[in-house]
Amino acid sequence: MHHAFLTPIDAAWLRRFRRNLLKWYASNARDLPWRSTREPYHVWISEIMLQQTTVAAVVPYYQRFLDRFPSVRELAAAEESEVLRFWEGLGYYSRARNIHRAARHLVDKHDGRFPTDVETLQTLPGIGRYTAGAVASFAFDRPAPIVEANTLRLYSRLLGFDGDPRSSAGQRLLWSFAQQILPQSSPGRLNQALIELGATLCTPADPACSVCPVRTLCRACAEGRQTQIPVPAKRPEITEVIEASLAVQKNGRYLLRQRGEQERWAGLWDFPRFEIDGAINGAPTAKQRRDLAQQLAQCTGIEAELGDVLTEIRHGVTRYRIRLLCLKAVHRGGRLHRRNGPQQWVRPGDFADFPLSVTGRKLAQILADAL
Ligand code: ADE
């Protein structure tokens, strides 16, 4: 049974909430690089990077990205592969492709300037309700609500909402709450403070209620239920896969291919990579090797003799747990047909020019070090 969580937000509650939160924020906010700017381009890049990624991981990428692409126009003028190169390692690469498409759209349709309203912002690739609200409020100080991971948790606790915050009813409730708590003056600052409280005190596992500036206004805290709220998201089922990456060598160069639109890591370059059927005990069986060689020939036109396992890499991507065997291989015949997108023979010294998947980069490093 759900509680009657919808305590009406009255004027006194709101006043105290905003006052306590802003006072706390003024002396406790972390000095993050995107907080010293109201440039919409900077706000946008930081918010896209911060999706599914921690602040600590984002900071160096943010600086490097803006150094290389200082404005929407420079980003729009760049090649997609260079944008991906600057995104390499951050993951969720559709974010980078969407940023690039959105930059071109802004230049073509909006004279390189950002729209200031949430509706128009949401017509841009990769900009959903949250990012639109973040740009509108942080850059233009519009009273646009935000709900992302930190604020979802914070609002759910403030309201004592023990339903599913990701359901459509939960989303309606939280977005409505997010709208109601915004003041007319400096709504952007309040939004930033809400994120900060969620990120630093109102944390998932062990919230610091004893030092929270709004603890007396929090229903979950009053009921001692802060660790039960919000209810956790359902864990996706994990799928195990075994794959092989082939380091096919020809005259000191290695075969790289660009991953296609329909593949994982679309747009990134990689060594030819295929799934292995069945179990692996140390090294692929003769049959598994034949299968791999056949897939290589089909995908690239190249015939190769497969050699030793160079290394095995384990990594997780969304709901996959991947075991990746990296195999040596030597070109024995055939020419690149390029039917499945761009393919190239590349010297190890030139690997740095290509945006690679994280595992591709590891293998590239091993090959370069072996020289
Ligand atoms: N996560 C998402 N947006 C953020 C921001 N502006 N500051 C810190 N963490 C965030």
Side-chain angles (χ1 to χ4, degrees):
M1 225 229 359
H2 291 173
H3 275 248
F5 47 80
L6 257 185
T7 323
I9 312 175
D10 62 39
W13 187 96
L14 253 188
R15 244 190 338 270
R16 286 175 60 210
F17 178 76
R18 291 175 184 152
R19 185 171 2 97
N20 293 3
L21 176 60
L22 289 172
K23 185 172 165 221
W24 169 82
Y25 183 68
S27 47
N28 292 280
R30 289 169 296 175
D31 182 15
L32 302 175
W34 46 88
R35 294 216 170 124
S36 52
T37 178
R38 293 188 56 175
E39 168 56 49
Y41 175 61
H42 297 180
V43 170
W44 172 51
I45 296 299
S46 68
E47 290 302 335
I48 298 294
M49 286 186 170
L50 285 160
Q51 293 167 12
Q52 287 123 342
T53 312
T54 63
V55 165
V58 165
V59 169
Y61 279 90
Y62 173 76
Q63 315 278 18
R64 271 198 318 142
F65 194 92
L66 292 183
D67 284 346
R68 171 58 189 86
F69 310 109
S71 71
V72 172
R73 284 187 191 285
E74 275 141 312
L75 179 57
E79 296 283 345
E80 185 188 86
S81 65
E82 200 187 359
V83 179
L84 286 168
R85 183 74 184 86
F86 277 77
W87 206 270
E88 190 184 305
L90 267 183
Y92 301 95
Y93 297 92
S94 61
R95 295 185 295 174
R97 289 192 301 277
N98 280 333
I99 279 189
H100 187 234
R101 283 171 56 215
R104 292 192 165 176
H105 181 95
L106 284 169
V107 168
D108 290 346
K109 299 284 191 314
H110 297 274
D111 197 25
R113 282 193 290 271
F114 269 83
T116 61
D117 66 284
V118 167
E119 288 71 31
T120 317
L121 282 164
Q122 282 186 83
T123 65
L124 294 164
I127 299 198
R129 198 171 176 187
Y130 165 70
T131 308
V135 172
S137 69
F138 300 157
F140 303 117
D141 230 345
R142 297 284 181 107
I146 55 161
V147 180
E148 42 67 81
N150 297 299
T151 39
L152 176 145
R153 188 169 59 248
L154 172 64
Y155 304 157
S156 297
R157 286 176 177 160
L158 286 167
L159 292 167
F161 175 58
D162 59 6
D164 180 357
R166 295 155 199 90
S167 67
S168 48
Q171 286 286 301
R172 256 196 313 281
L173 171 73
L174 297 182
W175 280 98
S176 153
F177 178 74
Q179 180 75 71
Q180 290 175 65
I181 55 180
L182 286 184
Q184 284 309 310
S185 81
S186 303
R189 189 158 45 108
L190 194 88
N191 275 345
Q192 201 69 248
L194 290 164
I195 291 179
E196 192 67 357
L197 187 65
T200 62
L201 298 188
C202 199
T203 53
D206 187 21
C209 300
S210 64
V211 294
C212 176
V214 294
R215 69 187 170 281
T216 61
L217 302 166
C218 178
R219 177 130 187 197
C221 183
E223 296 172 352
R225 296 200 301 152
Q226 61 272 18
T227 55
Q228 286 134 46
I229 292 176
V231 295
K234 280 189 210 68
R235 287 262 151 249
E237 198 93 22
I238 300 289
T239 309
E240 309 262 356
V241 280
I242 307 176
E243 294 181 349
S245 237
L246 306 180
V248 187
Q249 201 236 115
K250 178 189 177 191
N251 302 329
R253 298 174 189 236
Y254 289 91
L255 180 54
L256 294 183
R257 63 176 289 269
Q258 190 174 28
R259 299 183 66 101
E261 226 31 75
Q262 305 307 319
E263 301 179 61
R264 240 191 279 141
W265 303 306
L268 293 190
W269 288 70
D270 206 349
F271 297 88
R273 175 167 170 153
F274 309 101
E275 195 161 330
I276 298 182
D277 249 354
I280 288 279
N281 291 311
T285 63
K287 159 113 183 35
Q288 287 169 328
R289 284 169 187 276
R290 275 199 305 279
D291 280 354
L292 288 169
Q294 197 168 35
Q295 292 188 80
L296 174 71
Q298 234 160 45
C299 174
T300 66
I302 295 301
E303 285 141 36
E305 186 175 318
L306 305 197
D308 296 340
V309 176
L310 272 164
T311 188
E312 180 175 333
I313 300 172
R314 286 163 195 263
H315 67 127
V317 183
T318 58
R319 55 182 202 82
Y320 297 96
R321 183 146 49 229
I322 304 175
R323 260 181 84 186
L324 180 67
L325 303 180
C326 302
L327 265 74
K328 281 198 209 175
V330 183
H331 174 253
R332 289 294 183 222
R335 294 163 65 72
L336 293 177
H337 60 48
R338 298 196 171 84
R339 281 200 289 272
N340 298 310
Q343 303 171 339
Q344 240 172 278
W345 295 102
V346 180
R347 280 194 206 89
D350 295 332
F351 284 154
D353 298 339
F354 293 79
L356 298 181
S357 67
V358 167
T359 49
R361 184 64 66 199
K362 280 188 193 159
L363 179 52
Q365 196 60 51
I366 290 171
L367 297 171
D369 289 348
L371 289 182

